[in-house]
Each structure stands twice: as C-alpha cells, then as structure tokens.
Amino acid sequence: QVQLQESGGGTLQAGGSLRLSCVASQYAYNSDCMGWFRQAPGKEREGVALIYGGGGGTSYADSVKGRFTISQDNAKNTLYLEMNSLKPEDTAMYYCAADPSRYCAVLGIGIPAQRFRIWGQGTQVTVSS
C-alpha cells in the first residue's frame, strides 16, 4: 500500500514558486520526523528540509535556507514544501520520506537518508533559466 504520495512538481522559470505536497498514510504520518529529499541526475540524494517533534522543529539545507519552507497539516495528514525564488540548480526529483525515530532532533539536516525507511515515488521539479 502507498504510504507517501508526492504531487505538485512541474516546470517553471527561475525566480518562480512551487508548492509540493505529500499525502501520508496514518502509519507514515505518525512518524516523529518527515522530510524532503532531492536527487538530480548523476548526483547523490541530499536532504532539503526536515520537520519533527510535532512540527516544533525544522532543519534546512544551507542551499535552500530563506527560500524553502516545510510545513504540515495534521487534519489532512499532508506534508508541504513551499519553494520560492527557484534556481536552475534546484532542478531534481523531490522525494517525501518519514522516519519514526527521534534522531532528526539530534542530527538535524545531517541525518543519514538511510534512516528514512518510508519513501514516496517522487515528483519532478525542473527550473529553467
């Protein structure tokens, strides 16, 4: 059964904005930590943003600080990533993931992606110059 399902990706010009959504099963949404990761062709998967501790804690990659915002809606079991001032280097497949542990609070954005055992299929974001 599908635990996480991303949507909202698309193609847009640099400087534009996009809002990604991740609908989670109750099992996945019960995780203390959820996050967004991205992977461009030929590059390693990297953490983009995390939210944990009931939404009280967040962590962002340096490359997206001030431009991206992670949030969640408990009534809809949905995770969001608001992406503003997009750059061509933001082009990647974006994945939603969940981890039931409490290590996000300890490690922040440095938490290994391997700790996240529940993953969505991804949604493509392409930013043109």
Side-chain angles (χ1 to χ4, degrees):
Q1 61 200 78
V2 177
Q3 299 292 338
L4 300 170
Q5 185 171 337
E6 306 95 333
S7 64
T11 301
L12 69 168
Q13 296 183 357
S17 299
L18 208 58
R19 181 185 174 94
L20 305 183
S21 298
C22 173
V23 179
S25 67
Q26 188 59 57
Y27 174 79
Y29 200 79
N30 192 53
S31 298
D32 183 74
C33 183
M34 296 187 72
W36 290 95
F37 294 79
R38 67 185 182 187
Q39 186 168 24
K43 302 184 69 175
E44 294 185 351
R45 179 176 51 186
E46 63 175 342
V48 177
L50 305 173
I51 187 165
Y52 48 88
T58 58
S59 184
Y60 297 89
D62 288 341
S63 60
V64 306
K65 286 181 179 178
R67 298 189 298 118
F68 291 10
T69 302
I70 188 170
S71 62
Q72 59 189 169
D73 186 334
N74 294 335
K76 298 181 178 180
N77 282 9
T78 301
L79 180 73
Y80 301 99
L81 183 67
E82 183 181 353
M83 310 164 70
N84 300 311
S85 301
L86 283 162
K87 306 174 181 180
E89 48 263 48
D90 293 318
T91 295
M93 182 71 75
Y94 283 72
Y95 298 91
C96 175
D99 175 34
S101 77
R102 295 183 181 273
Y103 278 98
C104 282
V106 177
L107 302 174
I109 200 66
I111 187 170
Q114 290 83 355
R115 292 200 64 87
F116 292 81
R117 296 188 174 184
I118 306 174
W119 293 86
Q121 293 299 307
T123 185
Q124 179 68 38
V125 173
T126 302
V127 184
S128 62
S129 60

